[in-house]
Amino acid sequence: MTAQSESPGEPSYADTACADGSGLMAGRTVARVGYGAMQLRDLRDDRDAAVALLRRAVELGVNHVDTAQIYGAGFVNELISEAIGPDDGVTVVSKVGADPDPGGPHPIRVAQRPEELVASVDANLAGLGLDQIPVVNLRRPGTHSPVPVEENQIVDLDDQLAAMIALREEGKIGAIGLSGVTLDELRRALPAGIACVQNAYSLVSRGDEDMLHLCTREGVAWVPYFPLGGALPGHPKVTEHPAVLAAAESLGCTPAQVGLAWLLHHAPNVLLIPGTTSPGHLEENLAAGTLTIDAATLAMLDAIPSHTPA
């Protein structure tokens, strides 16, 4: 693998304050609460409402949108292309590692081989109507993949990074991110220049704490998915924990806002991408970015035990 380090002198979270509610994504300043577009696939029968929601997000200051070609088999990328223009200043982050498979046993299929990563980037570019995607996450299937992983889809990380670096050098992507990776995989990948990591992480499920600390030191954005837990069977929900409910009552906000705000308080490199199809919930999620948690309440939340997935 041909390694490429981050440019010297580029700001990192180790020495960058985010008191103004902003953070860094691949060297770009973005609001710390963005928008995850996956749920827009549920608005296939109401395209106008989906476009209006994206426009409303931009109006409210969202300038970091997370998507993928697999969301609605390209439908969500088409919405983003229609609703968001180059003058909106939005950093669009997509991902590769799986492809749509509408006729298969699952709506998506694992697509990890280097040539598939390249083809997926091309599909994302076409769907989004972009010449370059600012950030593309390489999504590894991990050990808890909901979709079967065929033997020919078990690919060495270095081979994948070589393909991603080539795409960056070609100008098709601006920066490389990772998703669903282990601490060891992140360490191996850092010399390639990693902009962000997307792993499952929440107040009640903090198994990747060491990885978060490494990202903080290395100036890598930490973008947790399932930020409120409960997305998989047997996993607790942040919004149902008694301490979170008590904090919400004390702070005069919703339990979901407590869970999101805790993440922002927990580390300066956290960027959130909560998703919703509701304009009201969109505004609530964004308001979590301005919620202040006092020291006593924060200590109570920090004391919540972390659930370790089986």
Side-chain angles (χ1 to χ4, degrees), residues 13 32 183 186 197 199 201-202 206-224 262-263 265-271:
Y13 284 101
R32 292 188 71 196
L183 180 59
L186 173 59
V197 171
N199 272 19
Y201 181 89
S202 72
R206 305 188 301 276
D208 281 338
E209 197 74 3
D210 288 344
M211 201 182 318
L212 169 55
H213 291 163
L214 177 59
C215 286
T216 306
R217 292 194 301 272
E218 296 292 331
V220 175
W222 181 259
V223 190
W262 178 86
L263 288 164
H265 281 71
H266 190 56
N269 55 325
V270 170
L271 301 177

Side-chain angles (χ1 to χ4, degrees), residues 6-301:
E6 295 286 355
S7 302
E10 187 168 303
S12 74
Y13 284 101
D15 54 15
T16 301
C18 298
D20 63 349
S22 66
L24 295 174
M25 168 61 75
R28 300 170 179 228
T29 300
V30 297
R32 292 188 71 196
V33 183
Y35 178 71
M38 182 176 69
Q39 292 186 37
L40 290 179
R41 63 190 179 185
D42 298 334
L43 293 180
R44 184 177 290 276
D45 295 331
D46 197 348
R47 189 184 189 98
D48 289 344
V51 170
L53 187 67
L54 283 167
R55 289 305 311 161
R56 180 59 177 154
V58 173
E59 290 169 3
L60 292 171
V62 168
N63 57 3
H64 169 203
V65 171
D66 183 84
T67 186
Q69 186 68 12
I70 57 175
Y71 296 163
F75 173 69
V76 171
N77 277 357
E78 292 176 10
L79 292 173
I80 293 171
S81 177
E82 179 178 343
I84 299 175
D87 293 337
D88 291 316
V90 175
T91 296
V92 176
V93 179
S94 193
K95 60 185 66 66
V96 294
D99 286 340
D101 192 20
H106 301 276
I108 65 173
R109 65 176 182 83
V110 175
Q112 294 279 300
R113 297 194 302 273
E115 66 272 18
E116 293 174 307
L117 302 180
V118 173
S120 186
V121 166
D122 288 339
N124 274 276
L125 285 167
L128 290 166
L130 296 175
D131 294 324
Q132 182 187 81
I133 305 170
V135 184
V136 173
N137 287 313
L138 166 61
R139 178 77 166 95
R140 300 271 289 177
T143 57
H144 298 284
S145 174
V147 180
V149 182
E150 303 294 336
E151 186 175 352
N152 68 349
Q153 292 295 337
I154 301 174
V155 182
D156 186 79
L157 177 62
D158 285 353
D159 293 337
Q160 294 178 313
L161 288 172
M164 299 296 288
I165 290 169
L167 287 163
R168 185 177 59 194
E169 291 175 345
E170 191 177 349
K172 290 185 175 182
I173 68 177
I176 301 168
L178 298 173
S179 180
V181 293
T182 65
L183 180 59
D184 178 65
E185 287 172 333
L186 173 59
R187 286 172 173 153
R188 288 172 57 195
L190 282 174
I194 301 302
C196 60
V197 171
Q198 282 191 8
N199 272 19
Y201 181 89
S202 72
L203 171 56
V204 296
S205 184
R206 305 188 301 276
D208 281 338
E209 197 74 3
D210 288 344
M211 201 182 318
L212 169 55
H213 291 163
L214 177 59
C215 286
T216 306
R217 292 194 301 272
E218 296 292 331
V220 175
W222 181 259
V223 190
Y225 64 84
F226 301 157
L228 297 176
L232 300 174
H235 287 227
K237 295 181 179 180
V238 171
T239 54
E240 293 179 354
H241 196 283
V244 174
L245 296 173
E249 183 176 358
S250 172
L251 297 171
C253 64
T254 69
Q257 287 175 318
V258 171
L260 296 175
W262 178 86
L263 288 164
L264 296 175
H265 281 71
H266 190 56
N269 55 325
V270 170
L271 301 177
L272 300 180
I273 48 169
T276 182
T277 59
S278 163
H281 287 160
L282 172 67
E283 295 188 15
E284 288 181 5
N285 291 338
L286 296 178
T290 61
L291 182 64
T292 299
I293 304 178
D294 60 88
T297 302
L298 193 59
M300 176 180 68
L301 296 172

